Amino acid sequence: MLHGNPLLRGWWVTDFSIYTTELLQYALIESVRGLSADVMHVGGAMTYTLLVVFAAFLARGRARGREGLIRAAVAGGVMLAPQLVASGTLILSPDHTGTGVPVLAVLLFIDLAGTRWYVPVITGLALAWVSFADPITLFVAVIPLALVYALRAMQGVVGPNRTALRARRFELSMVVAALVSIPLEIAAGRIIQKAGGFQVHGLHTALASTGMLAGNLRLTVLGLLELFGADFFDAKSGLGVVFAVLHLVGLLAVICGFIVALRRFFRSDAIIEPVLVTGIVIDVAAYLVGVQAVNLLSTREIAPVLPLAAVLAGRIAGPWLASFRTARVVPLLAVPLACYAAMLGYNAAQPAAAPGYANLAVWLSSHHFTYGLSGYSQANIVTAQTGGKVSLRPAVDDGRFVEGRLWNSSSSWFDPAQHSADFLVLSSVGSYQVSDRNAVATFGRPAQTYHYDDYTILVWHENLLARLR
């Protein structure tokens, strides 16, 4: 995008593009810091900081003074100190966590703007913008907004204080705005594809079999504990267990807030709280009965639940806490917040982990291997770490032969007229690896074989790209 290809011609992204959200963010960061793995770390830190800030502002809503401050403190406190085990989901992964930022921004706009005529227009356009980047917006924002405003319109027509349907014009227009965002997003995707822009893989959606439900339930519970910092099962030390137990305070506030909001769901004067409840229920339910729950890394599919639930806790607990005398409220808030701040400082002070595949990057560079194939994980990380000096392109086998993996990849990488790849990295670690048997079936016997650490490097004296299936 920074080098004159804003539509990403020739590129395949994943099953969602993040094109209008985090891709723009990464491009801006890279324009300042250059191409390096730091872009991901800076982007993740920026995204999570924005999540905490927007959650605090949305929790405050229209409340001001003491109550507004308490609302914001509760929401921000719940999210303040993520566990180190959750960093892959909440800070280093672009998978759905960052989508919470524009979703919270849209809800904040709706909350503060009132019933002005332009609110449905801006809401519909904003939802289309975010949905184009990430379809999970449909579950956590589009459907919840449409359902809640449809319910409010119906309550106004058939309730005890019923009014004419035309008097519910704003509610109906918000329903239309939410629903219209769907064809707008689809149309934008088709326009970009017709213009030769990037391609998106279709979402893999299906219902889980009966035998998968028990495993899905386990992963859902563990994933929610991880999101809220209360995963004491994966704590690596006694101190980690203490941190997780302390985070149960925030989780308890979230559960209480959810129950209270559920009981108030049909109150005609509430919009944001029912939308938050609906978004949480739909996202968790889809994860529970779908096929996305594979392991704890799959928790990214329900990552938006954290900011939505934190806002809910702030908006529900804030007024209740504000009713207490200051002498009683201060300990209730100050003690947990101080503990969370201490956890945040402790986690930030830990030694940085060694970059993934750093040893492989050094070995390949020292042996003058510059362009080759590997599994998906090594390809992206090694190429970014070396600034492209060693370029690994993702390959995958289909059970018989090796082919280029068009997943966050440019088709030009696999063009034998533009590049020449003469080696293949095999590994027992990382995702979507290639087997040595299928490598030989595709490329023939290698001329040389090297073994280093967890890796096997196969070398040929020809361009492997010409033989990719």
Side-chain angles (χ1 to χ4, degrees):
M1 294 172 73
L2 289 174
H3 294 83
N5 187 10
L7 294 182
L8 298 178
R9 296 176 187 273
W11 279 80
W12 283 85
V13 295
T14 66
D15 48 7
F16 63 101
S17 69
I18 63 170
Y19 180 73
T20 53
T21 53
E22 285 162 289
L23 271 190
L24 297 177
Q25 176 191 16
Y26 299 150
L28 290 173
I29 295 172
E30 187 180 324
S31 68
V32 175
R33 295 186 62 91
L35 175 61
S36 72
D38 283 350
V39 171
M40 202 66 182
H41 294 279
V42 173
M46 181 187 300
T47 293
Y48 197 77
T49 301
L50 288 172
L51 267 182
V52 175
V53 170
F54 273 107
F57 273 101
L58 182 57
R60 185 185 72 162
R62 296 188 178 189
R64 294 295 181 268
R66 185 165 171 267
E67 180 182 330
L69 182 61
I70 292 174
R71 284 185 177 202
V74 171
V78 168
M79 300 178 63
L80 183 61
Q83 283 178 295
L84 290 179
V85 294
S87 62
T89 299
L90 295 175
I91 299 177
L92 291 181
S93 173
D95 290 352
H96 310 308
T97 301
T99 302
V101 174
V103 166
L104 292 184
V106 171
L107 295 180
L108 181 62
F109 167 72
I110 293 172
D111 192 33
L112 299 181
T115 58
R116 294 176 173 86
W117 67 267
Y118 54 79
V119 173
V121 177
I122 295 178
T123 298
L125 293 174
L127 290 176
W129 180 274
V130 185
S131 297
F132 182 73
D134 188 353
I136 204 172
T137 309
L138 187 69
F139 299 136
V140 298
V142 175
I143 294 176
L145 280 168
L147 287 176
V148 170
Y149 274 107
L151 176 63
R152 294 296 175 262
M154 186 173 64
Q155 285 178 312
V157 174
V158 302
N161 300 317
R162 54 184 145 191
T163 59
L165 187 61
R166 63 177 177 273
R168 316 306 299 185
R169 186 183 301 114
F170 180 80
E171 288 83 356
L172 293 173
S173 63
M174 288 296 287
V175 175
V176 172
L179 296 178
V180 165
S181 70
I182 300 174
L184 283 178
E185 172 263 321
I186 294 173
R190 289 179 177 173
I191 290 171
I192 285 184
Q193 287 184 13
K194 286 188 176 181
F198 61 86
Q199 302 287 314
V200 183
H201 290 274
L203 283 172
H204 179 50
T205 56
L207 290 176
S209 64
T210 305
M212 295 173 61
L213 291 178
N216 283 8
L217 178 60
R218 173 181 169 275
L219 287 173
T220 301
V221 173
L222 291 177
L224 290 172
L225 288 175
E226 180 179 293
L227 288 177
F228 290 96
D231 183 10
F232 40 83
F233 296 105
D234 286 328
K236 303 300 183 185
S237 64
L239 189 60
V241 173
V242 172
F243 286 174
V245 171
L246 288 174
H247 269 296
L248 288 174
V249 176
L251 183 57
L252 180 62
V254 165
I255 293 172
C256 292
F258 181 85
I259 293 172
V260 172
L262 198 59
R263 294 179 60 187
R264 300 177 183 174
F265 192 87
F266 294 98
R267 280 179 44 171
S268 59
D269 60 339
I271 290 292
I272 299 300
E273 290 83 355
V275 168
L276 296 172
V277 168
T278 307
I280 292 169
V281 169
I282 292 176
D283 195 19
V284 173
Y287 184 68
L288 181 62
V289 303
V291 294
Q292 304 298 329
V294 178
N295 50 40
L296 268 181
L297 292 176
S298 307
T299 301
R300 60 181 179 265
E301 303 291 341
I302 53 173
V305 168
L306 173 60
L308 297 183
V311 171
L312 198 57
R315 292 178 76 98
I316 298 297
W320 176 70
L321 289 172
S323 66
F324 288 90
R325 289 185 177 182
T326 303
R328 295 182 62 185
V329 173
V330 169
L332 284 173
L333 277 177
V335 172
L337 287 175
C339 290
Y340 287 8
M343 291 182 227
L344 182 64
Y346 175 83
N347 288 342
Q350 296 309 298
Y357 310 120
N359 57 343
L360 175 62
V362 171
W363 190 92
L364 290 173
S365 181
S366 65
H367 286 74
H368 308 291
F369 290 114
T370 58
Y371 204 97
L373 304 172
S374 74
Y376 178 71
S377 300
Q378 292 91 354
N380 291 300
I381 295 175
V382 169
T383 304
Q385 282 180 351
T386 63
K389 293 178 181 178
V390 176
S391 295
L392 294 183
R393 301 313 184 191
V396 67
D397 62 54
D398 60 3
R400 296 179 60 196
F401 300 104
V402 179
E403 57 187 20
R405 179 168 169 76
L406 293 175
W407 189 269
N408 273 341
S409 303
S410 172
S411 56
S412 66
W413 292 351
F414 307 99
D415 184 356
Q418 298 186 51
H419 303 285
S420 179
D422 58 1
F423 69 94
L424 169 65
V425 177
L426 305 180
S427 176
S428 59
V429 296
S431 57
Y432 301 103
Q433 297 299 322
V434 176
S435 70
D436 54 353
R437 183 183 62 183
N438 293 330
V440 172
T442 305
F443 307 118
R445 294 284 176 184
Q448 284 97 29
T449 299
Y450 299 90
H451 297 281
Y452 170 69
D453 203 5
D454 294 316
Y455 312 102
T456 298
I457 298 90
L458 308 180
V459 182
W460 288 264
H461 297 316
E462 61 179 301
N463 189 356
L464 304 183
L465 302 180
R467 291 201 178 191
L468 280 178
R469 299 302 173 104

